[in-house]
Amino acid sequence: MSTQSNMIKVAVVGGEGIGPEVTAQSRRVLDWFAAKRNVPMTLREAQYGLIPYLATGKVLPEDTAEAMDEADAILWGATGGPETTEVPAAARKAGSLLGLRSKYDLYANLRPIMASPALSASAPLKAEVLEGVDFVIIRELTSGIYFGEPRGIETLPDGQRRGFNTEQYTTNQIRRVARSAFELARTRRNKVCSVDKANVLETSVVWREEVIALHKEEFSDVELTHLYVDNAAMQIVREPRQFDVMVTGNIFGDILSDCAAMASGSLGMLPSASLGPVDRFGRRKALYEPVHGSAPDIAGNGVANPLGSILSVAMLLRLTLNRPADADLLERAVQTALASGARTADIAEAGAKRLSTVQMGDAVLNALDKISAKEHA
């Protein structure tokens, strides 16, 4: 990678399943912004998963680890699929995405949920429910039940097996992700909804009390409300437009953000950004990825929706490169492509032509060219 201080370093890691297919289209978009908008970045491709494992014995080989360590931002594709059976569990765990989140302390996961009017005919929810939907779920990403100890599987004296995991949160873990939510809300509609299960879980009691205390101390100008997670799931599909910024713990955020995909038309439409703490130079490590998984059932067929990955590039432009105008341009290009009828199979209404992954990438790039040409006409 370039050592120029003004160049942002981006590691592009396609991963497994449909990951390389969708990330290839994101890479084309990044190349467009580098060439046409002079965005100061250097890109380094790196491999993850079965292919490097067969060559090196590691799903996360040394050169990939080096690329990600050096990078300011990581553009990630997907992990998992049938090939995981070919990789021993220990090797898989050693290079897991959970491990990367912990290594880089990517504690704040931002998942924007925005309904596209062009997709109202194919969306699972009614058009009137989706009108005006624009909110962000901030999920705490490096603590909670996915990381808590003790955990494991044991055999009891009577021969039964027991699996156990530990849900836990500390004051600092709660406050730093809540602070991210309040700060983001100040740039939007100034509303935060904190989601927990404080009527049942002690962890959630602490969560709610710490969010309330931080709000009182530093963010009393922001409107704060609370929902139990079961009610939050219902409200997301009942009246999603009521939300601005929603903040919640790791497992609740995992579930609710997939539920919220129904308010955007498809899981394939959702981008995400996982952010670490700000360092002394004002930078923060970030990993950008589509919310969807590896989708092994369609991997290799060239039909996956690349828009979640492409919209993750928009988040990269906005949050790491500090290029909000370029991020807006890319988001407009995606909406322009959709408005023109561009559809992959997951978002196609009955009778609509279905584009391949590459063709959807073409549609976005064509829209970028047209919009950019008009701006400079």
Side-chain angles (χ1 to χ4, degrees), residues 299-349:
N301 296 332
V303 297
N305 185 349
L307 294 183
S309 186
I310 289 172
L311 288 169
S312 294
V313 170
M315 298 187 77
L316 189 160
L317 288 166
R318 181 172 286 114
L319 298 174
T320 293
L321 284 154
N322 194 27
R323 307 271 296 205
D326 286 327
D328 290 345
L329 170 62
L330 180 52
E331 289 168 349
R332 291 208 317 274
V334 168
Q335 293 305 318
T336 298
L338 291 173
S340 72
R343 299 287 188 274
T344 44
D346 62 312
I347 55 173
E349 54 268 35

Side-chain angles (χ1 to χ4, degrees), residues 211-228:
V211 171
I212 290 172
L214 178 65
H215 176 254
K216 182 178 180 180
E217 294 165 13
E218 300 181 29
F219 298 97
S220 58
D221 58 301
V222 180
E223 178 185 332
L224 173 64
T225 57
H226 304 270
L227 284 177
Y228 296 141

